[in-house]
Amino acid sequence: MNLVLPVSMYTFDWMHGLCSAGVLNYTFFAVLQSLEKAGIQIWTSLQQFMQFWHMPKALKSCSLHSLFDAKAVAAYKKAACLKCSASEMLAMAKPLQYYVEAICLPQQVCLLESKCLLAWVDVLDFVSSIYTMPSPSAQELQTLVEIALSCTIGAGFQDVVRPKHHWCLHLPSCLNTLQCLPSCWAMERKHKVVRKYGNNIMNTTQYERSLLSEVLREHLAHLDSDEENLRQGAHMINPVPTTRKIQKQLMEIGFVLAGTSSFSSNTCRLASGAICTVGDFVFVVCAGPSPYKCGQVQCIFQVSSLEMCLLQIYSFLGDKVGTQATKWKPAGHLELVAVDAVLSPVVYSHSSKDELLCLTPAALGKFGSKKTRSLAAALASFVCLGSSLCWLQPIKAFCFFQPKDW
């Protein structure tokens, strides 16, 4: 009856293809080995280099510099690839891209190998940014994959090529069919749930049924107990009544009147799905020389239905030439922004005492930036609130919007 056509629905998982014992694991290792053969103490250099970068607090468990200690490097050389988790590979990609752009290319070291690494990072950036694109182009992805494969051969990495390199040639057709590229990032975590119950079940005659029922009970309990699972859009996570200290600060800037209830949280979920935590540096959409502003989150709170972040603002100094990074310096003032306006937490480094260097997230880079600029429309609801709620007036000097916007 042709109701179900499994072959036509088949798609390749780019997460496993690129990041889990995939293309990037073998390519990155081959490039780093080439740099070592060129006389650079690349493994020691990268271990020191990675210590300068600070990850968003939601990723604090990811220690990039430990991926380049002596024990890890010995394992890499034995396996002839970077043996790390897919999440670690994804976290490593942007700092490693910056290292090649800022150090290897200007010094003309291993040019073909460096271009190969950058070409594959472009493929990773594109597929991980598809959710931000209104009309992702399968042809553009096809071109990026073909360039990356050509660079692989041009760098002399024929021996590195694996079947997963060929997988990448199928991603454009999957994108053309589905208009998206599903991946297994979320599903990988489910292995732990299954193992937690499966390892303790001794009755093998009813093993499958027992395991299924235990996993299903946990899922239902989790859905019933955690409201955050069913919420969409940007929102605070586990808000609690604000402390007296925060309440006093909000009253001092005129955002809260005496007797008004408010809530605060250390974390919030952004519209992109990313987690933002107090202390993170974030990019916020705006109009100016840069398509976004940068700030450090000081407080996340809610008054009525309005959820806000208080940011320590940094001024845009310019792009880091030849790299996908931007430079910022402290502006010396605070601003209030709607949680909806926060685009993404960023990986950053203090390049000097008063200068911040931020790596541009893939979704805000050259493949996802068009969508990013259009997100300015998401701020319209806050502008409308500002024009009708008189108790917001005293905070104009602190607010993301200038007085002329009210």
Side-chain angles (χ1 to χ4, degrees):
M1 295 176 63
N2 294 328
L3 293 179
V4 179
L5 302 173
V7 175
S8 67
M9 296 185 290
Y10 187 84
T11 186
F12 288 82
D13 172 29
W14 64 262
M15 184 275 282
H16 278 97
L18 291 175
C19 301
S20 180
V23 174
L24 298 186
N25 300 72
Y26 286 97
T27 302
F28 285 6
F29 176 79
V31 173
L32 298 181
Q33 282 293 90
S34 297
L35 290 170
E36 186 176 46
K37 292 176 181 178
I40 300 175
Q41 295 181 336
I42 188 62
W43 302 105
T44 303
S45 176
L46 281 177
Q47 186 181 24
Q48 297 171 351
F49 174 78
M50 292 297 179
Q51 294 183 48
F52 292 111
W53 297 100
H54 302 275
M55 306 293 289
K57 293 185 183 300
L59 304 176
K60 63 182 179 181
S61 61
C62 183
S63 176
L64 292 182
H65 70 275
S66 66
L67 298 176
F68 296 95
D69 60 25
K71 184 178 179 180
V73 172
Y76 300 159
K77 292 184 176 180
K78 183 178 180 179
C81 76
L82 298 186
K83 294 186 66 176
C84 60
S85 69
S87 297
E88 290 170 336
M89 179 58 60
L90 185 67
M92 181 198 307
K94 299 308 285 186
L96 195 56
Q97 177 191 41
Y98 178 81
Y99 183 92
V100 170
E101 291 173 336
I103 298 175
C104 298
L105 293 185
Q107 296 182 11
Q108 303 285 300
V109 179
C110 296
L111 286 180
L112 293 177
E113 293 86 346
S114 297
K115 290 179 180 178
C116 175
L117 183 146
L118 296 178
W120 280 112
V121 173
D122 278 348
V123 174
L124 175 65
D125 283 353
F126 186 93
V127 296
S128 60
S129 303
I130 284 176
Y131 74 94
T132 71
M133 304 176 188
S135 299
S137 170
Q139 183 57 50
E140 185 176 4
L141 177 56
Q142 180 77 28
T143 301
L144 290 172
V145 172
E146 290 178 355
I147 290 174
L149 289 171
S150 297
C151 289
T152 302
I153 303 303
F157 293 155
Q158 292 88 335
D159 294 339
V160 172
V161 175
R162 297 291 188 276
K164 287 185 177 181
H165 284 74
H166 178 77
W167 279 22
C168 297
L169 289 171
H170 291 282
L171 294 177
S173 61
C174 295
L175 175 59
N176 191 51
T177 300
L178 303 174
Q179 291 301 299
C180 66
L181 282 180
S183 66
C184 291
W185 289 106
M187 286 175 275
E188 283 295 296
R189 295 190 293 273
K190 295 300 181 183
H191 293 330
K192 296 180 180 179
V193 178
V194 176
R195 287 200 298 267
K196 179 172 67 174
Y197 294 106
N199 290 340
N200 296 323
I201 296 177
M202 303 302 176
N203 182 2
T204 56
T205 59
Q206 294 290 326
Y207 185 85
E208 295 84 355
R209 183 181 181 87
S210 299
L211 179 59
L212 178 62
S213 63
E214 292 291 348
V215 172
L216 183 59
R217 287 191 188 100
E218 175 167 314
H219 286 175
L220 291 175
H222 186 54
L223 288 172
D224 182 58
S225 62
D226 192 348
E227 296 180 359
E228 206 268 330
N229 288 315
L230 303 179
R231 292 194 63 180
Q232 296 182 350
H235 58 271
M236 295 196 307
I237 298 175
N238 299 326
V240 296
T242 54
T243 62
R244 292 181 180 179
K245 180 180 178 181
I246 295 178
Q247 186 82 357
K248 181 179 179 181
Q249 291 174 340
L250 295 179
M251 291 175 62
E252 287 175 352
I253 65 175
F255 194 74
V256 174
L257 297 177
T260 303
S261 61
S262 61
F263 298 86
S264 65
S265 175
N266 285 328
T267 59
C268 65
R269 188 174 297 278
L270 306 181
S272 64
I275 298 293
C276 172
T277 306
V278 171
D280 282 345
F281 282 87
V282 296
F283 282 166
V284 180
V285 72
C286 77
S290 171
Y292 31 75
K293 280 188 176 183
C294 178
Q296 186 177 28
V297 180
Q298 306 295 311
C299 177
I300 305 170
F301 61 92
Q302 175 184 358
V303 178
S304 184
S305 60
L306 195 61
E307 297 185 354
M308 305 288 292
C309 287
L310 183 64
L311 303 182
Q312 179 70 48
I313 293 298
Y314 280 64
S315 299
F316 180 64
L317 294 178
D319 297 316
K320 180 74 172 177
V321 178
T323 72
Q324 295 189 45
T326 50
K327 297 181 293 183
W328 308 80
K329 69 175 182 179
H333 65 275
L334 301 173
E335 291 185 5
L336 286 172
V337 302
V339 171
D340 279 338
V342 181
L343 296 171
S344 175
V346 297
V347 179
Y348 68 93
S349 174
H350 293 284
S351 56
S352 67
K353 182 178 180 181
D354 295 321
E355 189 173 302
L356 190 73
L357 186 65
C358 296
L359 301 182
T360 304
L364 307 182
K366 55 186 177 182
F367 300 116
S369 57
K370 292 180 180 178
K371 178 68 172 179
T372 299
R373 293 187 180 93
S374 70
L375 286 177
L379 304 180
S381 59
F382 180 72
V383 177
C384 293
L385 282 171
S387 63
S388 59
L389 299 180
C390 60
W391 49 270
L392 286 176
Q393 296 298 323
I395 64 166
K396 287 181 182 178
F398 296 87
C399 194
F400 177 79
F401 301 99
Q402 299 299 317
K404 60 183 177 62
D405 294 321
W406 290 70

